[in-house]
Coordinates of all heavy atoms in Angstrom, one line a residue:
F4 N -49.4 138.9 14.0 CA -50.2 138.8 12.8 C -49.3 138.6 11.6 O -48.2 139.3 11.5 CB -51.1 140.0 12.6 CG -52.2 140.0 13.6 CD1 -52.2 140.7 14.8 CD2 -53.4 139.3 13.3 CE1 -53.2 140.7 15.7 CE2 -54.5 139.3 14.2 CZ -54.4 140.0 15.4
I30 N -44.4 137.7 6.8 CA -43.8 138.9 7.4 C -44.8 139.3 8.5 O -46.0 139.3 8.4 CB -43.6 140.0 6.4 CG1 -42.6 139.5 5.4 CG2 -43.3 141.3 7.0 CD1 -42.4 140.4 4.1
A69 N -58.6 126.2 -5.6 CA -58.4 125.4 -6.8 C -59.5 125.8 -7.8 O -60.7 125.5 -7.6 CB -58.5 123.9 -6.5
G184 N -47.9 124.0 -25.4 CA -48.1 122.7 -25.9 C -47.3 121.6 -25.1 O -47.2 120.5 -25.6
I223 N -57.2 116.0 14.6 CA -56.0 115.1 14.5 C -55.0 115.5 15.6 O -54.7 116.6 15.9 CB -55.4 115.1 13.1 CG1 -54.3 114.0 12.9 CG2 -54.8 116.4 12.8 CD1 -54.8 112.7 12.7
T253 N -61.5 131.2 10.0 CA -62.1 130.7 8.8 C -63.5 131.3 8.6 O -64.1 131.2 7.6 CB -62.2 129.2 8.8 OG1 -62.9 128.7 10.0 CG2 -60.8 128.6 8.8

Side-chain angles (χ1 to χ4, degrees):
F4 285 94
I30 294 169
I223 187 81
T253 59

